[in-house]
Amino acid sequence: LCAQATGRAAKSARTVVIAGVPDGLLHDDVMTDILMIHFQMSKNNGGDVEEVQYPTTEKGVAYVTFEDQEVVESVLKKDEHRLEDKRLSRYYPLKVTRYCENIFSSVTSVLNMSVFKDQFVLEDLIQELKKKSTALRFGPLQSNGHISVQGSFPAIQLLRDFLLLKAKSLSEDKREESKFHRRPRRRLQQHRLAAETSNFVRDGGGERQVVVLDTDIYYYMKFMFPRTFLVNDDVVISDVADGDITMVYVESAGSRSDAGQVFRVKKKIENQSLELHDALRKERIYYEKPTRSEKLKYKSACQSVKPHFPRVLVIPYDTHIDIIGKPSEIFEFTKEV
């Protein structure tokens, strides 16, 4: 599994995403051939192509994998890619971006593993985490039990769930120890990952669940899928945003609600966020000048184009505008703007 993960990572580093491919004009095999020729030409900063994936699940999007990773950097440096061929009636501008399995920026987290030191050999525990989370990068284990972890949001969430399950098993062991007076120190064991994966808190008047989301994905869900957060009077949803991360709290509000109801709402939000994480991309439009008139001009342009792209989310900021949506849609949207 580690070898497979390493191979996928190496291939990802040699792959670019192509948006704006004219869809439906030619047979797929012909379009694949045209793309391969384009990205092998020296005038396009290209090189030897290992593979072209077209069509893909996204309309007008292709993946091109080069034999040499250096060609990726060269292709990305070219200001404009125009797809031209005698089999096409005109040229088509292409948007070329670096491939990444997870669309939004990776998360860096510092884990305090010292809470496990009385029950497990920490070095063994870290090795177990590395085997189960091959998509994550682990730093060195510090003397105080801290270790940094970097990777995608879904991978961090799975790691969190595993550690929560591990902590839950420790509390169960302590109860068993009090019953049987003692239990020998044990090394790390295999645990049932498919069991309970929620961070479950019993909170005085009711039940509470916490979902950690990428802030951009949370905004997209809130505006595009409001029904995800539509609950009855027995459940209350609140949020606290902290930069790139938003904490969503799901808790019971009425006497009729129970842990199962709160948990189901939490899982619905989690499942929706994971689907969007794999499907969405984010494009950023910077203002040419940070003046008020310039900002108004860009915002006005976005507002005029937006009705044609109902599934694109536009978020204006002081220095730029973030465009979130499916790759083919945000490419067309930014081109129109």
Side-chain angles (χ1 to χ4, degrees), residues 50 161 172 287 303 322:
E50 176 183 304
D161 291 341
E172 291 174 349
Y287 305 126
Q303 289 173 359
D322 280 346

Side-chain angles (χ1 to χ4, degrees), residues 101-226:
E101 291 186 0
N102 303 102
I103 302 310
F104 296 96
S105 58
S106 63
V107 176
T108 300
S109 180
V110 177
L111 305 180
N112 182 6
M113 304 301 294
S114 63
V115 297
F116 296 101
K117 67 181 181 180
D118 293 333
Q119 286 76 23
F120 301 125
V121 178
L122 291 188
E123 289 77 7
D124 290 349
L125 179 54
I126 297 301
Q127 289 303 315
E128 179 72 5
L129 297 181
K130 289 180 178 180
K131 289 179 181 179
K132 291 186 177 296
S133 307
T134 56
L136 295 174
R137 293 180 293 277
F138 291 81
L141 179 64
Q142 305 297 323
S143 59
N144 60 0
H146 289 193
I147 186 171
S148 64
V149 184
Q150 185 179 38
S152 69
F153 228 85
I156 290 287
Q157 286 179 317
L158 290 175
L159 176 64
R160 177 207 62 186
D161 291 341
F162 172 75
L163 290 175
L164 287 169
L165 185 61
K166 187 70 67 180
K168 184 175 184 291
S169 72
L170 293 182
S171 64
E172 291 174 349
D173 287 344
K174 287 181 180 178
R175 287 197 293 271
E176 290 295 315
E177 285 181 14
S178 65
K179 182 184 296 184
F180 297 103
H181 300 294
R182 73 180 186 85
R183 175 180 294 263
R185 175 186 173 94
R186 60 180 183 168
R187 292 175 71 85
L188 183 62
Q189 301 174 354
Q190 293 292 332
H191 278 265
R192 58 199 185 283
L193 288 181
E196 185 178 338
T197 60
S198 64
N199 36 339
F200 175 72
V201 181
R202 192 170 295 276
D203 196 17
E207 311 299 346
R208 190 188 206 194
Q209 297 280 350
V210 183
V211 187
V212 185
L213 298 178
D214 181 290
T215 297
D216 289 322
I217 288 182
Y218 172 67
Y219 286 154
Y220 193 90
M221 290 173 63
K222 194 172 181 180
F223 284 98
M224 300 297 175
F225 299 94

Side-chain angles (χ1 to χ4, degrees), residues 239-271:
D239 63 81
V240 177
D242 183 13
D244 293 336
I245 293 176
T246 294
M247 307 284 287
V248 178
Y249 297 93
V250 184
E251 42 197 328
S252 60
S255 58
R256 291 177 298 172
S257 62
D258 55 21
Q261 185 178 11
V262 173
F263 180 76
R264 285 191 294 273
V265 173
K266 183 246 187 184
K267 291 306 294 182
K268 181 174 70 171
I269 295 173
E270 259 187 355
N271 293 339

